Amino acid sequence: MHTAHHGAVLLANEARLERWERKVEWPLTALALLFLAAYAWQVFDDHGAMHAPLEIVLWLVWALFAAEFITRLTLARNKVEFLRTHLFDLAAVILPMVRQLRVLRLITVVTLLNKKFQHKIRQRVGVYVAGVTIIVAFCASLAVLDAERHAENASITTFGDALWWTLTTMSTVGYGDRYPVTGEGRLVAGLLMVGGIALLGVITGTIASWLVEKLRGVEDAEQETARELRNLRAEIAELRAELSARSEG
């Protein structure tokens, strides 16, 4: 009896977790976009009058993300499995003290948009790939510029430098004309390298899935055509047999 009751409680929590995730999906996306806008403004307007208010906005957004993550963890039936499958969300919550890594919270944008639209725009692979690449490149450029521009002997001091470095790193070209010199910048670089590999995997998987769907459609069409041809031949054979019987009669 106790075991059955415990199982029912776990299933109820899992159902509540699913309802909660559906309910907060778009509010979380809006918060992530707000974070991106505030973070970008703060980076571009370095030491400006809005620096302190923007910092408050960033911490408020972080607090909301932390509260939402704790809520999902509480509702999860298998908490260890939940943590294992939500490592990016966990990192976004526990690494806020590393200023440059606050941009990790923007992984929510990529995750939610991918979940919402991947199956809808898979037929337009170019749109999907371009969207993900732009988001990742912009976030990484902001983070590395924030980490590097005031460092001694820094080679990344403008957003143009940061964007060029990001593109060469993501594409695994790595010219070496721009490179991070701070610990925070190198950490961002390491994450971008891993993220670049993951992004290439997503792109490859999406293209492969799209091609498989197209090929399956072609195969289905060929099979349907073959069935129609067989039916047509059978009908012709029946007509010939009927005509032959009538002529003999």
Side-chain angles (χ1 to χ4, degrees):
M1 181 69 70
H2 176 73
T3 303
H5 175 72
H6 182 66
V9 171
L10 291 177
L11 289 175
N13 283 347
E14 195 71 18
R16 284 199 295 268
L17 175 59
E18 292 178 1
R19 289 194 300 269
W20 172 263
E21 289 180 339
R22 288 195 299 268
K23 185 177 181 180
V24 301
E25 208 171 42
W26 284 112
L28 285 179
T29 304
L31 283 175
L33 291 173
L34 174 63
F35 179 89
L36 174 59
Y39 186 80
W41 189 351
Q42 192 180 62
V43 171
F44 290 138
D45 188 27
D46 189 29
H47 299 306
M50 291 297 295
H51 186 86
L54 290 171
E55 189 70 15
I56 294 173
V57 171
L58 294 175
W59 278 106
L60 287 175
V61 172
W62 171 81
L64 290 172
F65 272 109
E68 193 277 333
F69 182 81
I70 293 172
T71 301
R72 282 188 290 151
L73 178 61
T74 303
L75 293 175
R77 180 168 55 180
N78 187 331
K79 293 177 172 48
V80 174
E81 179 66 16
F82 177 84
L83 291 174
R84 188 185 68 81
T85 56
H86 295 78
L87 292 179
F88 281 116
D89 293 341
L90 178 62
V93 171
I94 66 176
L95 295 176
M97 300 306 294
V98 183
R99 189 162 52 98
Q100 284 71 33
L101 293 185
R102 290 177 307 182
V103 78
L104 275 179
R105 289 168 233 163
L106 293 167
I107 196 67
T108 306
V109 177
V110 181
T111 303
L112 292 178
L113 294 182
N114 180 65
K115 186 187 301 182
K116 273 285 185 183
F117 301 120
Q118 183 180 15
H119 68 283
K120 295 181 180 179
I121 67 172
R122 192 181 296 165
Q123 291 77 11
R124 295 182 292 170
V125 180
V127 175
Y128 174 72
V129 171
V132 174
T133 303
I134 289 172
I135 291 174
V136 173
F138 184 64
C139 294
S141 299
L142 287 175
V144 77
L145 177 61
D146 196 16
E148 291 290 309
R149 60 182 165 192
H150 297 306
E152 186 178 356
N153 300 322
S155 60
I156 302 174
T157 57
T158 67
F159 185 72
D161 294 338
L163 186 59
W164 172 250
W165 170 83
T166 299
L167 294 177
T168 57
T169 302
M170 287 181 64
S171 61
T172 68
V173 175
Y175 284 113
D177 55 341
R178 297 287 185 272
Y179 53 88
V181 297
T182 66
E184 294 90 344
R186 288 171 180 167
L187 188 54
V188 172
L191 292 172
L192 181 61
M193 291 173 191
V194 175
I197 294 173
L199 180 60
L200 289 176
V202 169
I203 293 171
T204 303
T206 303
I207 293 175
S209 176
W210 176 73
L211 289 175
V212 167
E213 286 185 359
K214 290 296 182 182
L215 291 175
R216 185 181 295 120
V218 172
E219 291 177 357
D220 292 343
E222 289 179 348
Q223 292 175 0
E224 181 64 26
T225 302
R227 282 194 296 269
E228 291 178 355
L229 286 174
R230 285 195 298 269
N231 293 335
L232 183 59
R233 287 173 180 171
E235 292 177 1
I236 293 173
E238 290 177 1
L239 288 173
R240 285 178 177 175
E242 185 178 346
L243 291 173
S244 177
R246 288 181 179 179
S247 62
E248 291 177 356

